[in-house]
Amino acid sequence: RESGSGAMGGSASLLPRDALGEYQSRSFSCLLSAYKRFSELLPKEERENTCSARVPKSHILMLPELRANPFQHRICHVFSTSETGDDSMSFEDFLDMLSVFSDSATSDIKSHYAFRIFDFDDDGTLDRKDLEQLVNCLTGQGEESRLSSAEMEQLIQNILEESDIDKDGTINLSEFQHVVSRSPDFARCGGLQG
């Protein structure tokens, strides 16, 4: 087939046949693995309807990737499409979450979701309250690890000086992604990982 002969054919024909087959089989095996993991989170009586079932947040939080994650509740909230607000997940929600946590997700995708997870009040910006909650999640809630008010204020001020390009007192997605782009280790160390 000639390159450009149809919307789908043009790009697919640029891949060698054996590479396309390997990609498809790898993607299919990843999908089957995700399906198996998702169905195992459901009660046995609901496994027949895996594609239409929703896994409760409490079961999602038992995943090894989330069990010790300080942002586990925010992750469930951000990836859930539940209309009731219970942060349960459909299979599609679960796939979205796994794909963002995967090594193949780009830094832009990881930073987009990290921003949403860190935006605790869901207002589209990281303000001082979001940054304080972010720091508390990272340092822990114990008395011995909690920063003093002065330390917290200094840290938030430093974060804003480094990240708040338009000096409006908040960090928007574009500013966040700019900072992340200067941190090559974000996706590996500080970003979302599985």
Side-chain angles (χ1 to χ4, degrees):
R1 191 180 344 176
E2 285 185 281
S3 184
S5 64
M8 297 288 280
S11 59
S13 66
L14 299 176
L15 286 173
R17 221 176 266 265
D18 57 340
L20 180 61
E22 183 183 327
Y23 174 76
Q24 287 172 332
S25 66
R26 189 173 344 123
S27 295
F28 186 68
S29 69
C30 290
L31 184 64
L32 285 178
S33 174
Y35 183 84
K36 184 177 187 283
R37 288 187 76 191
F38 184 80
S39 66
E40 289 171 350
L41 295 171
L42 291 167
K44 284 186 175 154
E45 62 275 7
E46 290 183 38
R47 290 184 185 168
E48 290 176 12
N49 303 316
T50 299
C51 286
S52 61
R54 296 193 72 82
V55 171
K57 176 182 175 179
S58 59
H59 293 195
I60 298 290
L61 293 176
M62 290 190 279
L63 290 168
E65 297 92 335
L66 294 182
R67 202 173 292 144
N69 190 307
F71 303 102
Q72 59 181 211
H73 296 286
R74 286 295 303 163
I75 291 168
C76 287
H77 178 74
V78 165
F79 286 97
S80 174
T81 58
S82 172
E83 293 179 9
T84 63
D86 64 0
D87 294 342
S88 64
M89 287 192 192
S90 68
F91 180 56
E92 284 186 31
D93 298 340
F94 187 72
L95 275 178
D96 287 345
M97 180 182 72
L98 291 182
S99 69
V100 170
F101 283 161
S102 79
D103 291 338
S104 62
T106 66
S107 181
D108 278 352
I109 289 172
K110 288 183 183 284
S111 63
H112 170 82
Y113 280 95
F115 180 85
R116 288 187 57 203
I117 290 164
F118 301 159
D119 181 14
F120 290 90
D121 57 10
D122 296 317
D123 69 351
T125 63
L126 303 183
D127 59 18
R128 287 179 170 275
K129 282 191 175 209
D130 292 321
L131 295 174
E132 186 172 333
Q133 282 187 268
L134 172 59
V135 171
N136 284 335
C137 281
L138 292 172
T139 60
Q141 300 299 317
E143 281 301 315
E144 66 284 347
S145 61
R146 186 176 291 261
L147 298 180
S148 70
S149 296
E151 291 169 326
M152 178 68 79
E153 181 55 36
Q154 184 60 57
L155 180 56
I156 290 173
Q157 192 57 43
N158 291 348
I159 293 169
L160 288 171
E161 283 175 18
E162 177 76 20
S163 310
D164 182 17
I165 296 166
D166 63 9
K167 303 300 179 203
D168 68 350
T170 66
I171 302 167
N172 61 38
L173 177 59
S174 174
E175 292 167 331
F176 183 78
Q177 288 183 319
H178 176 72
V179 169
V180 166
S181 73
R182 296 183 309 175
S183 305
D185 290 338
F186 172 78
R188 190 169 44 84
C189 301
L192 299 174
Q193 43 183 263

